[in-house]
Amino acid sequence: MSSDYTPSPETAALFARYKRHLLAERELRQAVKDAAPAEMRAGGTVSDLAELTGMTREVFRRIAREHEIDRLRPPTHGKDAPPPAS
């Protein structure tokens, strides 16, 4: 199915810019994930890396678990957290 739609020059430029950034992000994502374990072992926290990259903290938590990187503090939420005090 084909259409004869043609965006305005401003919209076409916006879409092209978005596509360039999306492709660049896809290209860099794996390199960032590969560098993360060494940075966490060097003292970078999940929050530090999330703030520096714009990725979520959970991305880096998963990387840390996958690479068996020790936590800097005990968990406060989730299945590994201690039960609440009564």
Side-chain angles (χ1 to χ4, degrees), residues 12-79:
L14 173 66
F15 289 171
R17 181 176 166 212
Y18 176 81
K19 185 175 181 178
R20 281 193 312 273
H21 286 277
L22 181 63
L23 294 173
E25 189 271 342
R26 288 178 183 166
E27 183 180 311
L28 292 171
R29 189 178 224 343
Q30 191 58 51
V32 169
K33 286 181 168 185
D34 291 344
E39 295 305 309
M40 285 189 265
R41 286 189 177 100
T45 66
V46 165
S47 293
D48 292 336
L49 298 181
E51 186 175 325
L52 288 167
T53 64
M55 293 178 173
T56 65
R57 289 179 181 97
E58 186 56 31
V59 168
F60 296 106
R61 284 187 198 108
R62 289 177 183 175
I63 292 169
R65 285 191 299 265
E66 179 182 330
H67 291 272
E68 298 179 354
I69 296 171
D70 292 334
R71 296 176 180 199
L72 299 178
R73 66 169 177 78
T76 57
H77 293 58
K79 65 179 177 143

